[in-house]
Amino acid sequence: MLRGNVVGLRARYEDDIPILRAELYDDVAGSARAESRPWRPVTPGSEDPRLVVDDKEEGHVPFSVVELAGGTLIGTATLWGIDNHNRSAHIGLGLLPASRGKGYGTDAVAVLCHYGFVVRGLHRLQIETVSDNTGMLRAAERNGFVREGVLRSAAWVMGEFLDDVLLGLLAEDWKPDPA
């Protein structure tokens, strides 16, 4: 397990899937904000590609996010779009509604940065999020990410277009938490 100050990133367990499906992906409005494709229902028991891990997929590393204090599942974190030639990747994060606003996101992004820069030897990490996702914007900026651009009206979310904010962090600009 990769450890931060308050969260850990570990492999996805089979027992995580029903919780993540019910609390993250069956929430139509929340899923519409996090996904780049329209929400659709997934039959219980089917292999939901958003949740089932393909250990052979090198360019996509999904984690389950847990509280270190008790091991409670609180969300998902992903390093995706890994480009080994350009040494870059994207960060994705989804916290269960009850776990938002508690600083877990900032810590999870910090752990993903450690994984990307130290473990994987990447040079650049990138985050894309809708402009009103203040939690993700705050977590990114607290970890040193810089706003690099805005894609105007790029995301269709529940009946309206929202801007996408692009943030980036280079390995040489990253300042790991000494704790």
Side-chain angles (χ1 to χ4, degrees):
M1 178 181 338
L2 298 170
R3 296 176 181 276
N5 293 320
V6 293
V7 303
L9 304 185
R10 63 158 170 77
R12 175 85 30 86
Y13 296 164
E14 191 67 33
D15 292 348
D16 297 346
I17 293 174
I19 297 165
L20 295 172
R21 179 178 283 147
E23 294 193 41
L24 277 181
Y25 297 114
D26 282 349
D27 171 14
V28 177
S31 186
R33 300 179 62 71
E35 299 283 326
S36 61
R37 56 190 170 263
W39 179 87
R40 65 180 185 84
V42 176
T43 305
S46 68
E47 292 203 357
D48 186 338
R50 299 168 302 175
L51 297 171
V52 175
V53 175
D54 178 0
D55 286 326
K56 294 176 185 73
E57 172 59 50
E58 292 291 325
H60 181 255
V61 182
F63 297 96
S64 287
V65 182
V66 295
E67 283 181 305
L68 287 178
T72 304
L73 177 69
I74 60 172
T76 66
T78 308
L79 205 64
W80 62 276
I82 300 170
D83 180 337
N84 289 320
H85 176 71
N86 293 303
R87 294 178 46 211
S88 64
H90 302 259
I91 284 179
L93 182 64
L95 295 179
L96 303 180
S99 300
R100 296 175 189 156
K102 299 178 178 180
Y104 296 140
T106 298
D107 199 36
V109 169
V111 178
L112 283 169
C113 289
H114 172 82
Y115 178 71
F117 293 135
V118 176
V119 177
R120 298 292 298 243
L122 299 176
H123 174 69
R124 174 186 168 79
L125 295 175
Q126 182 170 309
I127 294 173
E128 301 88 8
T129 189
V130 289
S131 58
D132 66 352
N133 186 349
T134 55
M136 186 57 160
L137 292 169
R138 191 172 330 136
E141 290 172 341
R142 286 180 177 163
N143 279 287
F145 282 80
V146 176
R147 291 183 192 217
E148 297 180 335
V150 174
L151 305 172
R152 298 179 307 137
S153 294
W156 178 254
V157 178
M158 299 299 291
E160 67 177 321
F161 283 104
L162 297 176
D163 294 345
D164 261 340
V165 178
L166 173 68
L167 303 106
L169 179 61
L170 302 179
E172 63 259 22
D173 297 331
W174 178 56
K175 297 186 177 34
D177 184 351

